[in-house]
Amino acid sequence: MIYKTILAENHKTVGLITLNRPDAMNALNGTLMTELIDALSVFDADEQIGAIVIAGSERVFAAGADISEMAKMSAVEMVKSSFVELFDGIRAIKKPIIAAVSGYALGGGCELAMSCDMIIASEKAKFGQPEINLGVIPGAGGTQRLTHAVGKAIAMEMVLNNRTLSAKEALEFGLINRVVPVEEYLDVALKLAKRIATRAPLALRQAKEAVNKAYELSLTEGLEFERRAFYFLFASEDQKEGMTAFVEKRKAEWRGR
């Protein structure tokens, strides 16, 4: 499918989505978010795809939401636009998503990266939530995911006082997975996605959901969810294949069922 604001490419077992609004520093508007969710859904439904990468350019991942689009909107118009709700579509994707970030990931761009399951960053990556400068606050998960990732103190400073984290700081505080040279960040993200895509599909889906539940449930509830998912996988062909292959000392051949 041809999109206006993103590029979608099939890299065999990995789907790559590139934000493509260079003249607007990849600012997120309704069209881009709608196209992004559509592309994610297409890759999620493709049995040949095991993982997905979302990237920007070396200069900017996404500099935030498109302020020119929302500056004059009323509260009612913002609700009706459903722009923020589009981010919920990322949570609905079952396959692992990796953000490949270089340059600025600010505001909605930072929220988009945090909506992914993992983040690979270049040495030039910058993460921030500058909404306070516009008289508002993060509205697409920034106050929540950021606090879970970096802790209350750093999140408060970023949200209340526009502190921007360098890639090194983001790694130190647990926001991202790793920092690599600019010329390598996309390749590293794709290689990670390709390795993940070799895993058992059903187990990947259950594992992703179980880890995400750790943020939403109590320890007792989370352990119960994990246990049910663990038992469920014993009804799959992949479990039988995986354990048989281990015993026979050979590589497993996953079927996703």
Side-chain angles (χ1 to χ4, degrees), residues 211-247:
V211 172
N212 282 331
K213 289 294 184 183
Y215 286 100
E216 302 169 3
L217 303 175
S218 68
L219 177 59
T220 298
E221 292 170 324
L223 289 171
E224 290 175 352
F225 180 91
E226 176 190 78
R227 195 165 297 139
R228 287 194 299 270
F230 174 73
Y231 291 149
F232 165 77
L233 288 168
F234 276 77
S236 70
E237 291 183 20
D238 280 352
Q239 174 269 328
K240 301 297 185 295
E241 166 63 11
M243 292 191 174
T244 300
F246 178 83
V247 172

Short mmCIF file of all heavy atoms in Angstrom, two decimals, residues 211-247:
data_model
loop_
_atom_site.label_atom_id
_atom_site.label_comp_id
_atom_site.label_asym_id
_atom_site.label_seq_id
_atom_site.Cartn_x
_atom_site.Cartn_y
_atom_site.Cartn_z
N VAL A 211 4.86 -9.35 29.97
CA VAL A 211 5.73 -8.28 30.46
C VAL A 211 4.95 -6.97 30.58
O VAL A 211 5.08 -6.24 31.57
CB VAL A 211 6.95 -8.11 29.53
CG1 VAL A 211 7.75 -6.86 29.93
CG2 VAL A 211 7.85 -9.34 29.59
N ASN A 212 4.10 -6.67 29.61
CA ASN A 212 3.30 -5.45 29.67
C ASN A 212 2.33 -5.48 30.86
O ASN A 212 2.05 -4.44 31.46
CB ASN A 212 2.53 -5.25 28.37
CG ASN A 212 3.40 -4.68 27.27
OD1 ASN A 212 4.36 -3.97 27.54
ND2 ASN A 212 3.08 -5.00 26.03
N LYS A 213 1.82 -6.65 31.20
CA LYS A 213 0.91 -6.76 32.33
C LYS A 213 1.59 -6.40 33.64
O LYS A 213 0.92 -6.00 34.61
CB LYS A 213 0.33 -8.18 32.42
CG LYS A 213 -0.66 -8.55 31.32
CD LYS A 213 -1.93 -7.72 31.41
CE LYS A 213 -2.93 -8.17 30.36
NZ LYS A 213 -4.17 -7.34 30.38
N ALA A 214 2.90 -6.54 33.70
CA ALA A 214 3.63 -6.21 34.93
C ALA A 214 3.47 -4.74 35.30
O ALA A 214 3.60 -4.38 36.47
CB ALA A 214 5.12 -6.55 34.76
N TYR A 215 3.17 -3.89 34.31
CA TYR A 215 2.95 -2.47 34.58
C TYR A 215 1.52 -2.18 35.02
O TYR A 215 1.24 -1.10 35.55
CB TYR A 215 3.25 -1.65 33.32
CG TYR A 215 4.71 -1.53 33.00
CD1 TYR A 215 5.30 -2.33 32.04
CD2 TYR A 215 5.51 -0.61 33.67
CE1 TYR A 215 6.65 -2.23 31.75
CE2 TYR A 215 6.86 -0.49 33.39
CZ TYR A 215 7.43 -1.31 32.43
OH TYR A 215 8.76 -1.20 32.15
N GLU A 216 0.63 -3.10 34.78
CA GLU A 216 -0.79 -2.82 34.97
C GLU A 216 -1.43 -3.59 36.12
O GLU A 216 -2.46 -3.17 36.65
CB GLU A 216 -1.56 -3.16 33.68
CG GLU A 216 -1.05 -2.40 32.46
CD GLU A 216 -1.62 -2.93 31.16
OE1 GLU A 216 -2.45 -3.86 31.22
OE2 GLU A 216 -1.23 -2.42 30.09
N LEU A 217 -0.82 -4.70 36.54
CA LEU A 217 -1.42 -5.56 37.54
C LEU A 217 -0.59 -5.60 38.82
O LEU A 217 0.59 -5.24 38.83
CB LEU A 217 -1.55 -6.99 36.98
CG LEU A 217 -2.33 -7.17 35.68
CD1 LEU A 217 -2.25 -8.62 35.22
CD2 LEU A 217 -3.78 -6.74 35.85
N SER A 218 -1.21 -6.04 39.90
CA SER A 218 -0.45 -6.30 41.12
C SER A 218 0.44 -7.50 40.89
O SER A 218 0.28 -8.25 39.91
CB SER A 218 -1.41 -6.57 42.28
OG SER A 218 -2.08 -7.82 42.08
N LEU A 219 1.39 -7.74 41.79
CA LEU A 219 2.29 -8.88 41.63
C LEU A 219 1.51 -10.19 41.61
O LEU A 219 1.76 -11.06 40.76
CB LEU A 219 3.32 -8.92 42.76
CG LEU A 219 4.29 -10.11 42.75
CD1 LEU A 219 5.08 -10.16 41.45
CD2 LEU A 219 5.23 -10.04 43.95
N THR A 220 0.53 -10.32 42.50
CA THR A 220 -0.26 -11.55 42.54
C THR A 220 -1.02 -11.76 41.24
O THR A 220 -1.01 -12.86 40.66
CB THR A 220 -1.26 -11.51 43.71
OG1 THR A 220 -0.54 -11.42 44.95
CG2 THR A 220 -2.14 -12.76 43.72
N GLU A 221 -1.65 -10.70 40.73
CA GLU A 221 -2.40 -10.80 39.47
C GLU A 221 -1.46 -11.07 38.31
O GLU A 221 -1.78 -11.84 37.40
CB GLU A 221 -3.18 -9.51 39.23
CG GLU A 221 -4.31 -9.28 40.21
CD GLU A 221 -4.90 -7.89 40.08
OE1 GLU A 221 -4.13 -6.94 39.83
OE2 GLU A 221 -6.13 -7.74 40.25
N GLY A 222 -0.30 -10.42 38.32
CA GLY A 222 0.67 -10.63 37.25
C GLY A 222 1.19 -12.05 37.22
O GLY A 222 1.36 -12.65 36.15
N LEU A 223 1.46 -12.61 38.38
CA LEU A 223 1.93 -13.99 38.45
C LEU A 223 0.87 -14.96 37.96
O LEU A 223 1.17 -15.95 37.28
CB LEU A 223 2.33 -14.34 39.89
CG LEU A 223 3.62 -13.67 40.39
CD1 LEU A 223 3.79 -13.91 41.88
CD2 LEU A 223 4.84 -14.18 39.62
N GLU A 224 -0.39 -14.67 38.28
CA GLU A 224 -1.49 -15.52 37.80
C GLU A 224 -1.61 -15.45 36.28
O GLU A 224 -1.82 -16.48 35.63
CB GLU A 224 -2.80 -15.09 38.46
CG GLU A 224 -2.87 -15.43 39.95
CD GLU A 224 -4.12 -14.88 40.61
OE1 GLU A 224 -4.87 -14.12 39.93
OE2 GLU A 224 -4.37 -15.20 41.79
N PHE A 225 -1.46 -14.24 35.73
CA PHE A 225 -1.52 -14.10 34.27
C PHE A 225 -0.37 -14.86 33.61
O PHE A 225 -0.57 -15.59 32.64
CB PHE A 225 -1.45 -12.62 33.88
CG PHE A 225 -1.52 -12.39 32.40
CD1 PHE A 225 -2.75 -12.20 31.78
CD2 PHE A 225 -0.38 -12.39 31.62
CE1 PHE A 225 -2.82 -12.01 30.40
CE2 PHE A 225 -0.44 -12.22 30.24
CZ PHE A 225 -1.67 -12.02 29.64
N GLU A 226 0.82 -14.68 34.16
CA GLU A 226 1.99 -15.38 33.61
C GLU A 226 1.80 -16.89 33.64
O GLU A 226 2.09 -17.59 32.66
CB GLU A 226 3.23 -15.01 34.43
CG GLU A 226 4.50 -15.74 34.01
CD GLU A 226 5.62 -15.52 35.00
OE1 GLU A 226 5.60 -16.17 36.08
OE2 GLU A 226 6.51 -14.71 34.72
N ARG A 227 1.27 -17.41 34.74
CA ARG A 227 1.08 -18.86 34.88
C ARG A 227 0.09 -19.38 33.86
O ARG A 227 0.30 -20.42 33.25
CB ARG A 227 0.62 -19.17 36.31
CG ARG A 227 0.73 -20.63 36.70
CD ARG A 227 0.63 -20.78 38.21
NE ARG A 227 1.73 -20.09 38.87
CZ ARG A 227 1.60 -19.35 39.98
NH1 ARG A 227 0.43 -19.21 40.55
NH2 ARG A 227 2.67 -18.78 40.51
N ARG A 228 -1.00 -18.64 33.66
CA ARG A 228 -2.00 -19.08 32.67
C ARG A 228 -1.40 -19.09 31.27
O ARG A 228 -1.65 -20.02 30.48
CB ARG A 228 -3.22 -18.15 32.72
CG ARG A 228 -4.11 -18.34 33.94
CD ARG A 228 -5.45 -17.66 33.76
NE ARG A 228 -5.32 -16.23 33.56
CZ ARG A 228 -5.32 -15.34 34.55
NH1 ARG A 228 -5.45 -15.74 35.81
NH2 ARG A 228 -5.21 -14.05 34.29
N ALA A 229 -0.61 -18.06 30.95
CA ALA A 229 0.03 -17.99 29.63
C ALA A 229 1.02 -19.14 29.45
O ALA A 229 1.11 -19.76 28.38
CB ALA A 229 0.75 -16.65 29.46
N PHE A 230 1.75 -19.45 30.51
CA PHE A 230 2.71 -20.55 30.49
C PHE A 230 2.00 -21.87 30.22
O PHE A 230 2.40 -22.65 29.34
CB PHE A 230 3.45 -20.60 31.83
CG PHE A 230 4.37 -21.77 32.01
CD1 PHE A 230 5.57 -21.85 31.32
CD2 PHE A 230 4.03 -22.80 32.89
CE1 PHE A 230 6.42 -22.93 31.50
CE2 PHE A 230 4.87 -23.88 33.07
CZ PHE A 230 6.07 -23.95 32.37
N TYR A 231 0.91 -22.14 30.95
CA TYR A 231 0.17 -23.38 30.75
C TYR A 231 -0.47 -23.43 29.35
O TYR A 231 -0.49 -24.48 28.71
CB TYR A 231 -0.93 -23.52 31.81
CG TYR A 231 -0.41 -23.76 33.22
CD1 TYR A 231 -1.11 -23.29 34.32
CD2 TYR A 231 0.78 -24.45 33.44
CE1 TYR A 231 -0.64 -23.51 35.62
CE2 TYR A 231 1.26 -24.66 34.72
CZ TYR A 231 0.54 -24.19 35.81
OH TYR A 231 1.00 -24.41 37.08
N PHE A 232 -0.96 -22.28 28.89
CA PHE A 232 -1.60 -22.22 27.58
C PHE A 232 -0.66 -22.68 26.48
O PHE A 232 -1.05 -23.39 25.55
CB PHE A 232 -2.08 -20.80 27.31
CG PHE A 232 -2.43 -20.52 25.87
CD1 PHE A 232 -3.62 -20.97 25.32
CD2 PHE A 232 -1.54 -19.83 25.04
CE1 PHE A 232 -3.94 -20.72 23.99
CE2 PHE A 232 -1.84 -19.58 23.71
CZ PHE A 232 -3.05 -20.04 23.19
N LEU A 233 0.60 -22.30 26.58
CA LEU A 233 1.56 -22.64 25.53
C LEU A 233 1.82 -24.13 25.43
O LEU A 233 2.29 -24.62 24.40
CB LEU A 233 2.87 -21.87 25.74
CG LEU A 233 2.76 -20.37 25.45
CD1 LEU A 233 3.98 -19.62 25.94
CD2 LEU A 233 2.54 -20.12 23.96
N PHE A 234 1.49 -24.89 26.46
CA PHE A 234 1.65 -26.34 26.40
C PHE A 234 0.58 -26.99 25.53
O PHE A 234 0.63 -28.20 25.27
CB PHE A 234 1.64 -26.94 27.80
CG PHE A 234 3.00 -26.90 28.46
CD1 PHE A 234 3.48 -25.72 28.98
CD2 PHE A 234 3.79 -28.03 28.51
CE1 PHE A 234 4.74 -25.66 29.57
CE2 PHE A 234 5.05 -27.99 29.09
CZ PHE A 234 5.53 -26.79 29.63
N ALA A 235 -0.37 -26.19 25.06
CA ALA A 235 -1.37 -26.70 24.11
C ALA A 235 -0.95 -26.41 22.68
O ALA A 235 -1.68 -26.74 21.74
CB ALA A 235 -2.74 -26.05 24.39
N SER A 236 0.23 -25.83 22.49
CA SER A 236 0.67 -25.45 21.15
C SER A 236 1.62 -26.48 20.55
O SER A 236 2.34 -27.19 21.26
CB SER A 236 1.39 -24.09 21.20
OG SER A 236 2.64 -24.20 21.85
N GLU A 237 1.61 -26.53 19.23
CA GLU A 237 2.55 -27.40 18.51
C GLU A 237 3.99 -26.91 18.70
O GLU A 237 4.93 -27.71 18.75
CB GLU A 237 2.21 -27.43 17.03
CG GLU A 237 0.91 -28.14 16.69
CD GLU A 237 0.65 -28.20 15.20
OE1 GLU A 237 1.62 -28.05 14.42
OE2 GLU A 237 -0.52 -28.40 14.81
N ASP A 238 4.14 -25.58 18.82
CA ASP A 238 5.48 -25.02 18.97
C ASP A 238 6.15 -25.46 20.27
O ASP A 238 7.37 -25.66 20.32
CB ASP A 238 5.42 -23.49 18.91
CG ASP A 238 5.34 -22.97 17.48
OD1 ASP A 238 5.48 -23.78 16.55
OD2 ASP A 238 5.12 -21.75 17.32
N GLN A 239 5.37 -25.60 21.33
CA GLN A 239 5.94 -26.08 22.59
C GLN A 239 6.48 -27.50 22.42
O GLN A 239 7.59 -27.81 22.87
CB GLN A 239 4.89 -26.02 23.71
CG GLN A 239 5.36 -26.63 25.03
CD GLN A 239 5.03 -28.11 25.16
OE1 GLN A 239 4.02 -28.57 24.64
NE2 GLN A 239 5.90 -28.86 25.82
N LYS A 240 5.68 -28.35 21.77
CA LYS A 240 6.12 -29.73 21.55
C LYS A 240 7.38 -29.76 20.68
O LYS A 240 8.34 -30.48 20.97
CB LYS A 240 5.00 -30.54 20.87
CG LYS A 240 3.69 -30.59 21.66
CD LYS A 240 3.86 -31.29 22.98
CE LYS A 240 2.53 -31.46 23.72
NZ LYS A 240 1.92 -30.18 24.13
N GLU A 241 7.37 -28.94 19.62
CA GLU A 241 8.51 -28.88 18.72
C GLU A 241 9.74 -28.32 19.43
O GLU A 241 10.86 -28.85 19.29
CB GLU A 241 8.18 -28.02 17.51
CG GLU A 241 9.36 -27.60 16.64
CD GLU A 241 10.09 -28.75 15.98
OE1 GLU A 241 9.58 -29.89 16.01
OE2 GLU A 241 11.19 -28.52 15.45
N GLY A 242 9.56 -27.25 20.19
CA GLY A 242 10.69 -26.61 20.86
C GLY A 242 11.37 -27.53 21.86
O GLY A 242 12.60 -27.62 21.90
N MET A 243 10.59 -28.23 22.66
CA MET A 243 11.17 -29.10 23.67
C MET A 243 11.76 -30.37 23.06
O MET A 243 12.79 -30.87 23.51
CB MET A 243 10.13 -29.42 24.75
CG MET A 243 9.76 -28.20 25.58
SD MET A 243 8.79 -28.58 27.05
CE MET A 243 8.73 -26.94 27.81
N THR A 244 11.09 -30.88 22.01
CA THR A 244 11.62 -32.04 21.31
C THR A 244 12.95 -31.70 20.64
O THR A 244 13.92 -32.48 20.70
CB THR A 244 10.63 -32.56 20.26
OG1 THR A 244 9.40 -32.93 20.90
CG2 THR A 244 11.19 -33.76 19.52
N ALA A 245 13.00 -30.54 20.00
CA ALA A 245 14.24 -30.10 19.34
C ALA A 245 15.37 -29.92 20.35
O ALA A 245 16.53 -30.26 20.07
CB ALA A 245 14.00 -28.80 18.59
N PHE A 246 15.04 -29.41 21.53
CA PHE A 246 16.06 -29.24 22.57
C PHE A 246 16.62 -30.60 22.99
O PHE A 246 17.84 -30.76 23.10
CB PHE A 246 15.44 -28.53 23.78
CG PHE A 246 16.39 -28.35 24.93
CD1 PHE A 246 17.28 -27.30 24.95
CD2 PHE A 246 16.40 -29.25 25.99
CE1 PHE A 246 18.17 -27.14 26.01
CE2 PHE A 246 17.28 -29.11 27.05
CZ PHE A 246 18.17 -28.05 27.06
N VAL A 247 15.72 -31.55 23.23
CA VAL A 247 16.16 -32.89 23.64
C VAL A 247 16.98 -33.56 22.54
O VAL A 247 17.99 -34.23 22.81
CB VAL A 247 14.94 -33.77 24.00
CG1 VAL A 247 15.37 -35.21 24.24
CG2 VAL A 247 14.25 -33.21 25.24
#
